[in-house]
Amino acid sequence: MHHLRTRAVHAGQQPDPVNGAIATPINQTTAFGYGTLDNGAALFAGEVKGYRYSRFANPTVTALEAKMADLEGAATAVAFSSGTAATSAIMLALLEPGDAIAFLGPLYGGTESVFRSLGARFGIEVIDASERGLAASLTPATRLIWVETLTNPTLQLHDLAEIAAIAKAQGITTVADNTFCTPCLTRPLDHGVDLVMHSMTKYLGGHGDATGGIVSGPEQHIERIRKLGLGQLGGNLSPQDAFLFLRGIKTLPLRMAAHCEGAARVADFLANHAAVAETHYPGLPSHPQHALAKKQMQGGYGGVVAFEMASGGRQAAAAVLDHLALFTQAVSLGDVDSLACHPATTTHSVVPAEVRAKYGIRDGLIRLSVGIEDPDDLIADLGTALAQSSTGPKGG
Ligand SMILES: Cc1ncc(COP(=O)(O)O)c(C=O)c1O
């Protein structure tokens, strides 16, 4: 098998059989002509394979699904119009009323809110296993376990092999949201996880110009998720956006290397700054799970860094954020441009204050998505902004 960098370019792609075009064409069509009544009947009866209507499948989207399945080491994949469309499709396709879903938090706030609101309406119990631990929290009704490979925003890890072993022993399906790591840094299926999902909106697209989601895994699960998520919920990805993701993924390994390099430099700078109480980055030896990160991640520790102001809470965070010039204040992540946000009032504002406190999402916490700019420029920008807070640089 070729290396990931080669597969990121070539997987899912063949030159166009008619004209030799190398870039996958955007098949901007809703329907596909099937020629004769008999062919149409066979297509709709599932007796022959082929395209019929873009909500179910489209060749540009198929190429993207093949590329991502290859990178994740999965049999197949299904793409959606957003990460959230993928999340709700997984939940509704794999769970019935009376079932339970367990998660290890903190999760992206939007994901937890999908679980809780759909769970309450459709009789699915939602179990936060973070406090009691996974094994102690599972019930006979638990059918799905959900984790993130790096948690948002405090960058904790979960031992994927351990979780998969607990789940397998009880016949429970595991899902890992790999948005923060991408297959360049972590491949959950290699650790025994069943399904891996992404908000492609982040690193896979990489340029902040398309919204999408994808789930990869075994045929049997993916076909159920496809049938419900596309056939019934209708959350299909557009061919235009599929093209942007196909293009973005070609440079994913190069971009991830630059994100990781920049984030490591930024984390090191912040960890030694007097105005900063705590820096969350799995690549720092001071990170409580640095050993697990070394074991579970390869090629770097990601592009997101979070840090806690030493004093002044929200006011100090605002002083820093409002003085950044190269980091744009915005909630997404994974773009080539650097972004910064205040999780307590944005991404995690829907999370109750006591739950935020439990996960360390305090008012002085700032999350950075380190882009691919020169790390020296980003560090200088942060240094200038931090000088606005009351304490100066360490020793300075
Ligand atoms: C880890 C994670 N999962 C899922 C999502 C949801 O993805 P989308 O915004 O594409 O719906 C996000 C969005 O921020 C995220 O950060």
Side-chain angles (χ1 to χ4, degrees):
M1 201 198 291
H2 289 121
H3 293 92
L4 194 88
R5 219 168 115 170
T6 307
R7 282 152 49 217
V9 175
H10 290 281
Q13 175 182 310
Q14 288 109 29
D16 187 277
V18 176
N19 57 27
I22 295 167
T24 305
I26 304 172
N27 286 280
Q28 192 69 32
T29 182
T30 44
F32 299 82
Y34 45 75
T36 66
L37 186 150
D38 280 350
N39 281 343
L43 201 53
F44 277 76
E47 291 159 12
V48 292
K49 277 200 179 301
Y51 295 100
R52 45 188 172 137
Y53 189 60
S54 278
R55 175 157 50 79
F56 301 120
N58 171 286
T60 316
V61 179
T62 304
L64 170 65
E65 291 168 344
K67 194 183 274 298
M68 276 310 291
D70 183 294
L71 297 186
E72 294 287 11
T76 186
V78 54
F80 289 94
S81 56
S82 70
T84 305
T87 299
S88 41
I90 297 171
M91 185 180 178
L92 293 178
L94 301 187
L95 297 176
E96 305 283 342
D99 289 347
I101 177 169
F103 71 86
L104 283 165
L107 291 182
Y108 165 62
T111 301
E112 190 170 339
S113 134
V114 167
F115 292 165
R116 294 210 180 277
S117 65
L118 291 183
R121 296 187 60 204
F122 295 104
I124 294 163
E125 191 192 353
V126 180
I127 302 167
D128 181 348
S130 321
E131 247 163 50
R132 294 176 58 218
L134 194 59
S137 304
L138 300 178
T139 67
T142 311
R143 298 273 169 278
L144 213 57
I145 292 170
W146 196 287
V147 293
E148 292 177 359
T149 49
L150 259 188
T151 67
N152 181 14
T154 49
L155 304 162
Q156 294 165 31
L157 287 91
H158 302 295
D159 191 320
L160 297 176
E162 215 172 81
I163 291 166
I166 294 172
K168 277 214 164 53
Q170 306 199 33
I172 301 171
T173 303
T174 42
V175 183
D177 179 336
N178 200 23
T179 300
F180 274 51
C181 288
T182 83
C184 296
L185 308 183
T186 302
R187 291 172 19 114
L189 302 191
D190 291 353
H191 299 278
V193 167
D194 297 301
L195 291 166
V196 54
M197 68 81 62
H198 286 271
S199 166
M200 293 196 290
T201 317
K202 312 299 184 320
Y203 289 106
L204 299 184
H207 295 73
D209 51 14
T211 302
I214 198 153
V215 192
S216 310
E219 199 86 47
Q220 167 211 1
H221 281 327
I222 297 297
E223 280 323 301
R224 278 184 75 173
I225 295 165
R226 178 187 291 281
K227 204 165 164 197
L228 183 119
L230 304 184
Q232 287 145 25
L233 298 178
N236 59 294
L237 182 70
S238 80
Q240 294 264 0
D241 286 339
F243 173 83
L244 290 173
F245 290 121
L246 278 166
R247 186 167 70 167
I249 293 167
K250 287 191 184 212
T251 57
L252 177 70
L254 305 182
R255 287 187 284 105
M256 284 315 286
H259 286 299
C260 290
E261 181 208 344
R265 291 271 317 278
V266 162
D268 199 45
F269 168 75
L270 292 169
N272 289 294
H273 199 289
V276 174
E278 201 178 344
T279 304
H280 304 278
Y281 187 64
L284 288 174
S286 59
H287 187 284
Q289 294 163 304
H290 182 58
L292 176 60
K294 269 169 99 171
K295 184 178 92 171
Q296 195 163 277
M297 299 179 76
Q298 72 264 322
Y301 298 98
V304 179
V305 181
F307 65 101
E308 176 85 29
M309 297 302 294
S311 60
R314 175 176 169 164
Q315 221 175 344
V320 174
L321 284 163
D322 293 350
H323 285 90
L324 287 169
L326 285 177
F327 288 81
T328 303
Q329 282 194 65
V331 292
S332 200
L333 60 105
D335 295 1
V336 288
D337 303 47
S338 287
L339 306 173
C341 77
H342 183 241
T345 53
T346 58
T347 50
H348 290 70
S349 56
V350 293
V351 179
E354 64 280 7
V355 179
R356 284 205 303 268
K358 185 177 85 178
Y359 291 133
I361 307 168
R362 287 180 279 271
D363 287 351
L365 188 77
I366 293 174
R367 185 187 82 184
L368 303 176
S369 171
V370 178
I372 63 165
E373 302 94 333
D374 193 305
D376 286 340
D377 293 331
L378 297 177
I379 288 168
D381 193 30
L382 281 162
T384 308
L386 279 162
Q388 305 302 320
S389 65
S390 53
T391 339
K394 240 178 207 171

